[in-house]
Amino acid sequence: MKYTTRKSAILLLSDGTIFHGKSIGISGTTFGEVCFNTGMTGYQEIFTDPSYFGQIMVATNPHIGNYGVNDKEVESNGIKIAGLVCKNFSFNYSREDASGSLEDYFTKHNLICISDVDTRALVSYIRENGAMNAVICTDDTPVEELKAALAQVPDMKGLELASQVSTKEPYFYGDENATYRVSALDLGIKTNILRNLAKRDCYIKVYPYDSSFAELNSFNPDGFFLSNGPGDPEPLENAIEVAGEILASNKPLFGICLGHQVIGLANGISTYKMFNGHRGINHPVMNLVSGKGEITSQNHGFAVNREEVEAHSGLEITHLHLNDGTVAGMRVKGTNCFSVQYHPEASPGPHDSSYLFDQFIESLKK
């Protein structure tokens, strides 16, 4: 293979810290909140997950791109991360059913990537100093210009991003002759959530993030679903109102990730921005109902207030994150409403969390 010299690039954090590396070949600058994911596989699912919109992703796995990409392993209609930081970017790949290389995939979507970064040092720095805005620069823009531009990037706290990734028009997913009908509010929904509902005999109508309860209810659904998504949940006033109206209707409601936070807000529970957030496929969760532990896939930078949930007479905590004790699941007492902070559709390891979809189907049967 011919040796090529790659252009130098930098990652500039909002506090002025600079990490040096190499461009994979796409010239430009990109801004976003820098965060890290500890998953050792599944990079394509991460890159196309709408929940990562507006974020620069640091991969803790030292090898990215080594198994290429597969057109079937996407969670949306394209790459959603703002940029990628990695240690070793593999321009060659070896996988029998790969559709192409990650390099070509990034070129197609014009995603800027910096490699050859000391990602261990970078992740340690983020863990100690918290998530913050950053810029990747691969085009030699002067640092002072980058600092000035970075200072204008809004903080993730208070930022509404669901409108940037939600569908513009309602659409259907699954078999129209299925037994159950589900109305889903798209705040940044992952395709695999729809797959999991469809294979459980559901016909789903997916609605834009700003749809009303009347619109969702016009489908005459057996139940409702609030999806995952990016950004701060507090600005989503319409979704919070819709969640409250669904609860008042006493129809089944299932929420994942951002949908979980919205259900909390609809019940008067506040949310807060986490210091680092949870992003990976090996997060331990305790199911307080069954007494069993689960290995879960997680991707969130906000959480519901545990003390407020515990003090709420109408709510019950069903799952706790074992690393830091944050709320990983809850249910509304006396209803068929429950939610989790993690991603059961990803089902890492032995598919520990896929039972939650079955639990939702049971609530539809009732």
Side-chain angles (χ1 to χ4, degrees):
M1 185 176 69
K2 182 181 178 182
Y3 181 82
T4 57
T5 301
R6 290 191 288 131
K7 194 173 181 179
S8 295
I10 65 168
L11 171 73
L12 170 67
L13 305 183
S14 59
D15 67 359
T17 304
I18 296 177
F19 287 83
H20 296 270
K22 298 288 186 179
S23 168
I24 69 160
I26 301 170
S27 182
T29 59
T30 186
F31 298 82
E33 183 186 68
V34 65
C35 61
F36 60 90
N37 187 294
T38 58
M40 298 303 288
T41 60
Y43 55 72
Q44 188 177 359
E45 291 89 334
I46 293 169
F47 301 159
T48 58
D49 180 351
S51 294
Y52 283 122
F53 184 83
Q55 292 182 312
I56 291 174
M57 176 56 56
V58 181
T60 61
N61 185 339
H63 300 284
I64 294 297
N66 52 310
Y67 58 82
V69 296
N70 185 306
D71 292 337
K72 297 178 181 179
E73 295 174 357
V74 296
E75 293 292 353
S76 66
N77 58 358
I79 292 177
K80 293 297 184 288
I81 60 172
L84 175 68
V85 182
C86 63
K87 176 60 178 174
N88 300 314
F89 188 92
S90 180
F91 293 87
N92 299 311
Y93 63 94
S94 55
R95 186 185 183 194
E96 187 174 344
D97 61 349
S99 306
S101 72
L102 187 59
E103 179 190 12
D104 290 342
Y105 193 62
F106 279 6
T107 301
K108 175 183 176 181
H109 293 278
N110 196 34
L111 186 92
I112 295 171
C113 169
I114 178 173
S115 68
D116 295 77
V117 174
D118 186 346
T119 49
R120 291 183 299 177
L122 173 57
V123 170
S124 294
Y125 191 86
I126 298 170
R127 286 179 62 86
E128 292 175 3
N129 296 277
M132 65 185 79
N133 286 336
V135 53
I136 298 173
C137 176
T138 63
D139 62 4
D140 297 324
T141 300
V143 171
E144 292 306 313
E145 288 186 25
L146 293 174
K147 287 182 178 179
L150 185 55
Q152 302 303 312
V153 177
D155 187 75
M156 190 64 75
K157 174 65 177 174
L159 196 59
E160 184 278 299
L161 293 176
S163 59
Q164 304 296 308
V165 294
S166 178
T167 182
K168 304 304 180 186
E169 298 291 337
Y171 66 91
F172 297 94
Y173 191 97
D175 182 358
E176 62 179 340
N177 297 312
T179 303
Y180 310 106
R181 296 161 71 94
V182 175
S183 288
L185 189 65
D186 178 12
L187 306 176
I189 198 165
K190 292 171 68 176
T191 302
N192 208 29
I193 290 174
L194 297 174
R195 293 191 193 106
N196 270 275
L197 290 172
K199 76 179 184 180
R200 287 171 172 81
D201 206 17
C202 291
Y203 185 45
I204 309 105
K205 188 171 184 179
V206 184
Y207 290 85
Y209 81 105
D210 56 353
S211 300
S212 67
F213 170 72
E215 290 173 308
L216 270 69
N217 203 40
S218 66
F219 186 51
N220 193 28
D222 298 292
F224 298 85
F225 178 79
L226 299 184
S227 84
N228 62 291
D232 190 336
E234 288 190 2
L236 296 173
E237 296 180 0
N238 177 74
I240 296 168
E241 181 180 346
V242 167
E245 292 179 280
I246 295 173
L247 286 168
S249 75
N250 205 32
K251 281 192 174 183
L253 173 61
F254 181 23
I256 287 177
C257 199
L258 186 59
H260 161 82
Q261 297 158 14
V262 165
I263 290 172
L265 289 164
N267 283 279
I269 304 300
S270 65
T271 58
Y272 64 93
K273 190 175 187 299
M274 304 173 75
F275 190 63
N276 276 309
H278 297 150
R279 297 175 181 90
I281 59 175
N282 60 348
H283 285 251
V285 163
M286 175 58 72
N287 184 326
L288 301 180
V289 178
S290 68
K292 296 180 179 179
E294 300 175 23
I295 301 302
T296 68
S297 176
Q298 303 211 4
N299 169 22
H300 61 104
F302 291 82
V304 300
N305 187 297
R306 176 176 173 174
E307 290 74 21
E308 292 180 17
V309 177
E310 290 175 329
H312 196 294
S313 61
L315 296 176
E316 177 188 359
I317 296 176
T318 56
H319 301 76
L320 285 177
H321 196 295
L322 290 176
N323 286 349
D324 59 9
T326 51
V327 177
M330 62 186 181
R331 72 177 184 89
V332 181
K333 296 178 182 177
T335 73
N336 284 319
C337 171
F338 68 99
S339 61
V340 290
Q341 183 61 81
Y342 53 98
H343 285 267
E345 80 287 344
S347 294
H351 295 195
D352 289 8
S353 306
S354 59
Y355 71 89
L356 289 161
F357 289 101
D358 299 323
Q359 184 176 317
F360 181 51
I361 299 303
E362 287 302 314
S363 71
L364 300 182
K365 291 179 180 180
K366 294 178 182 178

